[in-house]
Amino acid sequence: MIALCIFKVIDAAPAAQAVTPYTTPPETPSETPPETPPETPPETPQTLPETPTETSPETSTPSQLPPQTQNANLNFPISGNGTCGVAVGSRCPDGFCCSAGGSCGEAPEHCQAGCQEEYGVCGVPDSVRNVGFQFNTCTENNTLAITFDDGPQEITETLLDNLKERNVKATFFMNGHAFQNHCIYDYAPIVQRAFKEGHQIASHTWSHPHLPLVSDEEIRYQLEFLEVAFKKMIGAIPTYFRPPFGERAGSVQNILREKGYKMVIWDIDTNDFKGDLQLATDLYNTQISKSPEPNPHIILNHDRVVITSTTLGPFEVDDALKRGYKVTTVGDCIGKPDKEDWYRDIGKPEKRDDTWKCTIEDMHGFGAAPDGTL
């Protein structure tokens, strides 16, 4: 059995990351040596949204989980290369099917006859079942949505300057209190600036837990406590949401639907949270170059990472524009450019008072690990 990982809250914010000297990435990134594959399945695994790699979640035994998350899939690690099933002992990312031959995907040969239900969904994949609710990529031609998770922090101001210089709007999936010394209320001017400048503000939970491993009550708390903060700061509640680590099993999706959220995943992940600029630019080039034409994409970044806000984010924007993309928000790239779709209960921001604060207790034991990672 795999033990449930409980992150401890630290007394100091993670140390700022040094900016790695930037060099222009190569036109054709070097390929990493291929891993020796397991038995070749009859199907070629489809290109999947990158498995969330911020921190691989450890999982609990079914008996330790709330009833709604007692899913045998949680006992197996998530596949990182598109293979799955009993032969390799790994499961597909949430929402994908594991074929009889051991490959992850969404086609009938993955989801129907012979589908391995302990290693993925079977029957109807998430992308079909969740049309209009879940977005793994943009739907408008030639659009690329640039997104940033885990902020706001001081460095977000630099990113906003870089985006303004390029006249580009982005989507920010914000946390409330994922780092002990980083409370969203302390960055209210940054949140308000992003909102006023036309960027899309979206939700990423209050304190960044592994949602499939918590109760329904906790899921609602993570959404609603952040809604209160947004209403105070920008006078509106976002209707777009990205689950921490991309995890959405159990009752997560039902609760999001109940509360009127759209769920946003991604199809390009640069692993920028590792703080390695060359690795991030190489991964960006590799993934975006798979599309011979400017096919739609949603890119996952983290504005709390110094290299992202100062260098990687601007590079991605400049490169995508050269490739012919319209770089924009998630709402715009799925054909929903109106603020009335991005937010609900739109009104005026509230006047700051003594309720604009965070406490250790409001994190409910979640947030950054001792080394500062989520």
Side-chain angles (χ1 to χ4, degrees), residues 301-316:
N301 296 291
H302 301 80
D303 53 304
R304 65 181 172 86
V305 178
V306 173
I307 62 161
T308 299
S309 287
T310 60
T311 309
L312 178 65
F315 161 72
E316 290 173 352

Side-chain angles (χ1 to χ4, degrees), residues 36-360:
T36 303
E39 294 183 11
T40 304
E43 306 88 0
T44 300
Q46 296 183 351
T47 301
L48 307 177
E50 290 291 323
T51 299
T53 51
E54 296 165 332
T55 303
S56 297
E58 295 183 14
T59 54
S60 171
T61 61
S63 62
Q64 294 172 302
L65 298 174
Q68 73 278 4
T69 64
Q70 289 186 8
N71 183 334
N73 291 353
L74 298 178
N75 291 321
F76 301 105
I78 297 176
S79 171
N81 61 6
T83 61
C84 60
V86 64
V88 295
S90 60
R91 63 185 172 97
C92 297
D94 287 350
F96 286 84
C97 307
C98 182
S99 72
S103 65
C104 297
E106 299 178 287
E109 60 264 29
H110 297 93
C111 301
Q112 296 178 8
C115 176
Q116 300 185 59
E117 63 182 9
E118 290 192 349
Y119 300 91
V121 299
C122 289
V124 181
D126 270 7
S127 64
V128 175
R129 181 172 55 251
N130 291 339
V131 169
F133 165 70
Q134 175 180 327
F135 297 90
N136 295 345
T137 191
C138 298
T139 59
E140 297 293 297
N141 290 335
N142 300 340
T143 58
L144 181 146
I146 186 164
T147 71
F148 300 92
D149 288 12
D150 298 351
Q153 291 190 15
E154 293 95 336
I155 195 63
T156 305
E157 193 91 58
T158 299
L159 176 60
L160 290 173
D161 291 341
N162 283 320
L163 294 172
K164 185 175 183 179
E165 180 182 336
R166 291 160 174 79
N167 194 30
V168 163
K169 310 303 181 189
T171 301
F172 290 86
F173 291 93
M174 296 183 175
N175 292 118
H177 196 194
F179 297 85
Q180 182 178 334
N181 290 346
H182 291 274
C183 170
I184 193 169
Y185 289 117
D186 295 335
Y187 303 104
I190 295 177
V191 179
Q192 292 165 340
R193 175 189 169 184
F195 180 74
K196 290 176 181 177
E197 291 183 356
H199 299 287
Q200 183 176 9
I201 307 301
S203 175
H204 196 44
T205 71
W206 180 256
S207 56
H208 211 281
H210 293 279
L211 290 179
L213 303 182
V214 303
S215 67
D216 286 9
E217 180 182 12
E218 181 65 31
I219 294 172
R220 291 190 175 91
Y221 168 83
Q222 290 287 332
L223 297 171
E224 293 167 4
F225 212 67
L226 186 53
E227 289 173 0
V228 170
F230 282 134
K231 185 64 176 173
K232 289 178 179 180
M233 290 183 291
I234 63 174
I237 297 173
T239 58
Y240 286 57
F241 174 82
R242 174 172 283 159
F245 313 101
E247 296 170 347
R248 51 200 186 273
S251 59
V252 174
Q253 296 182 46
N254 288 338
I255 293 174
L256 291 174
R257 289 176 184 276
E258 168 194 310
K259 294 186 64 62
Y261 280 99
K262 290 182 176 66
M263 184 173 66
V264 181
I265 311 300
W266 60 85
D267 66 324
I268 292 182
D269 181 1
T270 63
N271 285 347
D272 64 316
F273 67 93
K274 295 180 178 179
D276 185 332
L277 182 58
Q278 191 61 58
L279 171 65
T281 51
D282 285 349
L283 287 172
Y284 164 83
N285 274 317
T286 298
Q287 293 172 70
I288 200 168
S289 296
K290 291 178 181 178
S291 304
E293 299 177 1
N295 293 329
H297 291 294
I298 296 177
I299 300 182
L300 168 66
N301 296 291
H302 301 80
D303 53 304
R304 65 181 172 86
V305 178
V306 173
I307 62 161
T308 299
S309 287
T310 60
T311 309
L312 178 65
F315 161 72
E316 290 173 352
V317 171
D318 293 342
D319 181 77
L321 291 172
K322 289 177 183 177
R323 292 174 184 265
Y325 283 101
K326 175 185 179 182
V327 182
T328 187
T329 62
V330 171
D332 188 42
C333 90
I334 64 169
K336 302 287 185 180
D338 298 328
K339 299 292 178 64
E340 288 74 16
D341 181 75
W342 299 3
Y343 308 103
R344 62 180 172 86
D345 298 342
I346 300 175
K348 294 182 179 180
E350 298 178 13
K351 185 177 180 180
R352 190 178 188 111
D353 59 27
D354 59 6
T355 65
W356 291 40
K357 62 183 179 181
C358 299
T359 66
I360 294 297

